[in-house]
Amino acid sequence: MRGARILVIDDSKTIRRSAETLLNKAGCEVCVAGDGFEALGKIVSFKPDLVFVDIMMPRLDGYHTCALIKSNPTLRHTPVVMLSSKDGLFDRAKGRLVGAQLYLSKPFTGDELLEAVRLNLPQAGST
């Protein structure tokens, strides 16, 4: 997991801070954004290996953010994990439709967050 570049997009400062702390302790390089618009400004220069994105955000929600990431030829293969307090089948299906690899329900544990990294970055599981 050491050296993996992770972008965390969430309008909750608490979620951003806790995810950043956990991922930094695991050896990841972390960039955070408060919404999809802010993330789009950072993602091209940061070039993340994995993106965590909240679904319910102001201005640009997680579904649209994920769709924009997946429509960019240089970012198309970047795994996206949706974060949400909504745990319905519809929400999970919509996440898959826009290209998300995994759906993580909030509140999530540190172990669940790190497992999502391991599942989506196979090389991360070997460190």
Side-chain angles (χ1 to χ4, degrees):
M1 207 171 303
R2 189 156 302 285
R5 298 169 65 85
I6 313 258
L7 176 61
V8 178
I9 312 164
D10 200 301
D11 59 332
S12 164
K13 185 183 277 188
T14 304
I15 295 288
R16 288 193 312 267
R17 187 174 293 140
S18 62
E20 183 177 26
T21 301
L22 284 163
L23 293 166
N24 278 331
K25 283 183 181 175
C28 300
E29 185 178 340
V30 183
C31 181
V32 296
D35 62 42
F37 278 119
E38 183 184 348
L40 293 176
K42 294 179 175 185
I43 194 167
V44 175
S45 60
F46 183 66
K47 297 180 180 68
D49 299 311
L50 173 67
V51 176
F52 286 99
V53 61
D54 183 24
I55 291 175
M56 303 296 288
M57 293 184 295
R59 300 197 306 164
L60 188 62
D61 71 18
Y63 296 124
H64 288 102
T65 302
C66 181
L68 287 168
I69 291 168
K70 293 300 183 174
S71 69
N72 182 313
T74 60
L75 302 171
R76 174 179 306 139
H77 299 293
T78 304
V80 176
V81 176
M82 305 298 277
L83 302 174
S84 182
S85 53
K86 297 167 68 178
D87 195 20
L89 184 59
F90 173 78
D91 300 304
R92 288 176 181 274
K94 190 170 179 184
R96 286 276 185 199
L97 284 174
V98 295
Q101 276 65 31
L102 189 65
Y103 190 101
L104 196 57
S105 296
K106 296 194 285 189
F108 49 82
T109 66
D111 288 341
E112 289 170 327
L113 186 74
L114 296 176
E115 182 63 14
V117 174
R118 286 185 201 99
L119 288 172
N120 286 283
L121 299 178
Q123 71 277 15
S126 62
T127 58

